[in-house]
Amino acid sequence: MSEQLDKPWILEKQLDELKAELAAAGFRGFVARQIFQWVYHKNNQEPASWSNIAKADRERLAALYDWRPLPVLARQDDEEGTRKLLFGLRDALKVEAVLIPEKGRYTLCLSSQAGCPLGCAFCATGAMGFRRNLTAGEIVSQVLALKRELGEYSGRLNLVFMGMGEPLLNYGGVARALRLITEPDGLNVSPRHVTVSTAGVLDGLERLERDFPQVKIALSLNAPDPALRSELMPVSRREGLEGLLAHFRARRLRQRITFEYVLLAGVNDAPAQARQLARLLHGIPSKVNLIPFNPSPGLRFRRPDEAAVEAFRAVLLDKGLTVVTRWSKGRGIRSACGQLAVREDGQGERKQ
Ligand code: SAH
Ligand code: SF4
C-alpha cells in the first residue's frame, strides 16, 4: 500500500507524457497507446490481464505506476435511477459524482474541487467550505467509475462539471482532465458533449474558450440584477455581472450559452424578475435552465411551487427565450444540483 503511494499515478498522465516516460524506460513506442486503450477504452486498470502486451513488460509496468482508480466508498440510488457515488481520495478527503439517466443517454455529473471556496448562499457544497482542488486523475477516475456502473452501455454520454466545486478555479486540473476526456485514445468523448458550469470566473472562462473552443459553457446566473446576485453569490462582488455579460456579448459565439437560474421562493422568482432577466440576456444567444431550489439542511431558502415556476417560465418564453426547467433528479438521495456535501468524519452526508 505505502509502496504504491510513492509511485506515479497512471491516471495523472497525458498520452504524450506517458510516451516520453516509457521511451526513456526502454519500452517500445506503441506501448503507451496500448496502455491508454486498456485503461480508458476498456476501463481495465489491471496490467496483469493485458493480453496484447508482453508478460515481462506488464510486470515492469505494474511495478512502475500506481494503477488503482479511486475507491468507491458508497453508492446511493433513487427511484428514478439516479445513482450517487462517494469516492475516497488518497488523502482521505471525499467527493461525490452522480450518474443521471435521461432519455436515450446518460449524464455524468463531476466534481472539480473538494468543497468550494465561493460560498453561494443557496449551495450545500459552498456551505461546507473549501478543502482543495482535485487533480486530473481524481476527475477522470470519477468518469471511469461512473462508466463502470453502466456495464456494456456504449451510447451517448454527457459530462457536466456541475458537482462539487468551481471548475474554473481549478483550471489546471480541469484542463488536464478535459484532455484525457476528449483524447481519442483516452475517454474519447466529444468536447461538444462536455459542459463546464461556472459561477463566473472570467480569466478561467477566457482560457477555457481558447483551449477548448467546443466545450459548452453554462453560467450560473441566479439573479436578474447585480445587487441581488452579489448577495446570493459573493463571487459576483469581484467578477461583476455586467463584465461577464459583456464578455458573452462581445464574443463571436459558436454556440449558445446556458444560463442556470436557481429559483428561490420569494427571492428571485417574481414575474417582474423574469422580465428583468430577459432584458439582461438580450443580444446573447442563450438558453435558460430553471432549477427550482433543492433544499438541504442548513440552507435558508424555499423551493417555489409549480405555479410560480411555470409563471416565471412563461414570461421568458413570451420574450422569445429558450427555457428548460430542471426538476432535478436525485433529490431523494441529495444528489441534485447544489446538494453535494460530504462530511470528513466518514458519514458521507452533511447533517444539520
Ligand atoms: N460551481 C459551479 C458548478 C457547480 S454548481 C457553478 O456554480 O456553476 C452547479 C449548479 O448547481 C449551479 O448552476 C448552481 O447554481 C446550482 N445550485 C447550487 N445550489 C443549488 C440548490 N440548492 N438547488 C438547486 N441548484 C443549485
Ligand atoms: Fe461553489 Fe457553484 Fe456552489 Fe457557488 S453554486 S458555492 S460556485 S459549487
Side-chain angles (χ1 to χ4, degrees):
M1 181 84 178
S2 59
E3 189 193 320
Q4 282 243 3
L5 282 178
D6 299 335
K7 295 177 195 167
W9 192 20
I10 195 66
L11 298 182
E12 302 291 4
K13 301 289 173 192
Q14 303 292 330
L15 182 56
D16 50 356
E17 294 166 352
L18 188 63
K19 276 185 183 158
E21 286 180 15
L22 292 185
F27 286 88
R28 278 163 303 173
F30 50 79
V31 174
R33 266 189 79 202
Q34 287 178 320
I35 292 174
F36 256 56
Q37 290 173 355
W38 282 108
V39 168
Y40 292 106
H41 289 186
K42 301 208 171 73
N43 209 344
N44 173 332
Q45 293 88 27
E46 302 279 347
S49 70
W50 297 346
S51 49
N52 61 350
I53 297 182
K55 187 154 184 281
D57 280 355
R58 282 186 257 150
E59 281 165 4
R60 276 184 71 208
L61 288 168
L64 276 175
Y65 294 96
D66 179 351
W67 298 91
R68 299 165 304 159
L70 288 180
V72 175
L73 304 180
R75 260 183 198 80
Q76 261 187 299
D77 287 342
D78 80 355
E79 323 73 49
E80 295 160 323
T82 295
R83 175 170 288 183
K84 177 166 79 168
L85 301 188
L86 177 72
F87 294 89
L89 308 182
R90 304 279 201 256
D91 59 2
L93 288 173
K94 299 184 180 73
V95 294
E96 293 174 330
V98 187
L99 182 64
I100 306 161
E102 278 167 326
K103 280 186 224 98
R105 64 184 155 179
Y106 284 92
T107 294
L108 277 44
C109 179
L110 308 175
S111 291
S112 57
Q113 300 184 309
C116 180
L118 295 183
C120 300
F122 46 80
C123 176
T125 310
M128 69 179 273
F130 178 60
R131 300 293 177 273
R132 67 169 171 81
N133 283 334
L134 300 188
T135 66
E138 290 168 335
I139 296 170
V140 295
S141 211
Q142 296 171 49
V143 184
L144 290 170
L146 291 169
K147 278 189 75 169
R148 186 157 292 161
E149 302 290 317
L150 294 175
E152 294 299 303
Y153 174 83
S154 62
R156 164 113 175 239
L157 294 180
N158 280 344
L159 270 54
V160 298
F161 284 83
M162 292 184 188
M164 300 168 80
E166 167 49 50
L168 297 184
L169 287 181
N170 176 17
Y171 190 78
V174 168
R176 287 180 63 87
L178 285 174
R179 282 183 64 194
L180 293 168
I181 284 167
T182 55
E183 157 73 49
D185 287 313
L187 283 159
N188 194 24
V189 174
S190 161
R192 292 188 185 84
H193 298 164
V194 180
T195 300
V196 171
S197 174
T198 177
V201 177
L202 201 47
D203 61 341
L205 204 53
E206 282 163 353
R207 290 174 76 184
L208 183 74
E209 288 164 348
R210 192 190 56 222
D211 297 345
F212 301 93
Q214 293 177 318
V215 164
K216 291 194 183 145
I217 291 162
L219 178 76
S220 296
L221 194 58
N222 300 329
D225 68 84
L228 180 59
R229 189 166 194 268
S230 295
E231 219 177 281
L232 296 172
M233 304 178 70
V235 63
S236 207
R237 292 170 207 158
R238 274 183 282 139
E239 267 333 333
L241 180 55
E242 276 314 320
L244 283 170
L245 295 178
H247 168 80
F248 290 123
R249 269 195 206 98
R251 239 180 56 167
R252 267 187 297 140
L253 289 168
R254 251 172 273 202
Q255 73 215 346
R256 286 193 294 186
I257 302 295
T258 296
F259 292 95
E260 293 158 288
Y261 193 99
V262 181
L263 282 165
L264 308 164
V267 176
N268 66 356
D269 67 337
Q273 288 167 310
R275 285 191 285 277
Q276 226 178 336
L277 176 60
R279 276 199 299 278
L280 201 64
L281 299 183
H282 187 75
I284 305 173
S286 44
K287 176 176 136 189
V288 178
N289 262 358
L290 295 178
I291 317 170
F293 173 66
N294 291 310
S296 263
L299 300 179
R300 61 190 163 86
F301 298 98
R302 279 182 306 112
R303 164 175 270 223
D305 59 27
E306 238 169 280
V309 174
E310 200 37 53
F312 197 92
R313 187 176 108 95
V315 172
L316 298 180
L317 289 176
D318 185 53
K319 300 282 178 199
L321 284 160
T322 304
V323 189
V324 175
T325 308
R326 276 214 321 249
W327 294 99
S328 295
K329 303 209 175 169
R331 282 199 294 145
I333 52 170
R334 284 223 217 113
S335 60
C337 273
Q339 289 186 312
L340 301 184
V342 175
R343 292 203 312 188
E344 265 156 59
D345 56 8
Q347 300 308 304
E349 293 277 300
R350 195 171 63 98
K351 301 255 164 53
Q352 203 161 13

